[in-house]
Amino acid sequence: MATQSIVPNYATPAAITLDLTSLGSSTDFTAGRESDAVDNSTTKYSDVLVSGSVAVGTTPTANTSIAVYVYAQHDDTPTYQDVFDGTGSAKTVTSAGILSGVLVQIGQMFVDSATSDRVYYLRPTPVALHFGGHLPKRWGLFVAHNTGVNLKSSSNSGNFKFTGIKYDVVT
């Protein structure tokens, strides 16, 4: 009998549509920007690795942060919870309590300097882990920060991608 192994099969990284140009600061992280939802109903990835970067604006406050959250669909309509709708736009979550119940924080980039236009990075981070090991059918990102200034005012202020993962059985 042949030995079988299960090995990961990584897809080509794909862009997440998320415009962070001049995104304003939010002391409690409730005001930010939602990405377009990513539809996993066709690709059926077991998991995805999300990575990205964010450029701060002019003279941010040191010892602040940029938070990256994931939201997921609530039902097959699809509807989402609170203010989310699966379409990239500015959003203000109803409250910090609602934010903690609706979103899952997958990363935090610490702004350690008042250096203008510095780029901060989010390492590749799995999403399914935060949903009990199962990737939602539709999911997206929400980014908020408390740097005290708007993020960089150019089209390269944020850049997020995901790499889909499926598993192959190899004999």
Side-chain angles (χ1 to χ4, degrees):
M1 178 174 208
T3 302
Q4 294 183 333
S5 298
I6 298 174
V7 296
N9 180 346
Y10 297 94
T12 302
I16 297 173
T17 305
L18 176 59
D19 180 7
L20 298 178
T21 305
S22 299
L23 177 64
S25 185
S26 174
T27 55
D28 63 359
F29 297 94
T30 56
R33 187 107 183 149
E34 171 187 10
S35 74
D36 285 350
V38 176
D39 187 344
N40 192 44
S41 63
T42 303
T43 54
K44 298 183 184 338
Y45 293 127
S46 296
D47 200 355
V48 295
L49 295 174
V50 171
S51 61
S53 62
V54 176
V56 296
T58 304
T59 319
T61 303
N63 301 315
T64 56
S65 62
I66 303 161
V68 181
Y69 302 90
V70 173
Y71 68 87
Q73 75 179 67
H74 176 65
D75 61 29
D76 278 342
T77 304
T79 56
Y80 301 86
Q81 296 173 321
D82 198 44
V83 297
F84 297 95
D85 60 9
T87 304
S89 59
K91 294 288 191 264
T92 300
V93 181
T94 301
S95 69
I98 298 294
L99 182 137
S100 69
V102 171
L103 302 173
V104 177
Q105 187 171 352
I106 64 165
Q108 188 169 18
M109 296 170 262
F110 293 100
V111 177
D112 59 356
S113 166
T115 303
S116 298
D117 301 331
R118 180 183 265 184
V119 177
Y120 291 87
Y121 299 92
L122 176 69
R123 66 182 168 271
T125 304
V127 172
L129 167 77
H130 301 284
F131 292 93
H134 303 283
L135 188 64
K137 186 186 281 185
R138 290 178 187 84
W139 59 273
L141 299 181
F142 177 74
V143 175
H145 68 94
N146 67 349
T147 65
V149 298
N150 290 353
L151 294 181
K152 190 171 180 180
S153 62
S154 65
S155 61
N156 63 350
S157 58
N159 179 14
F160 285 87
K161 294 183 179 195
F162 72 94
T163 302
I165 305 169
K166 290 184 177 183
Y167 293 92
D168 295 334
V169 176
V170 178
T171 307

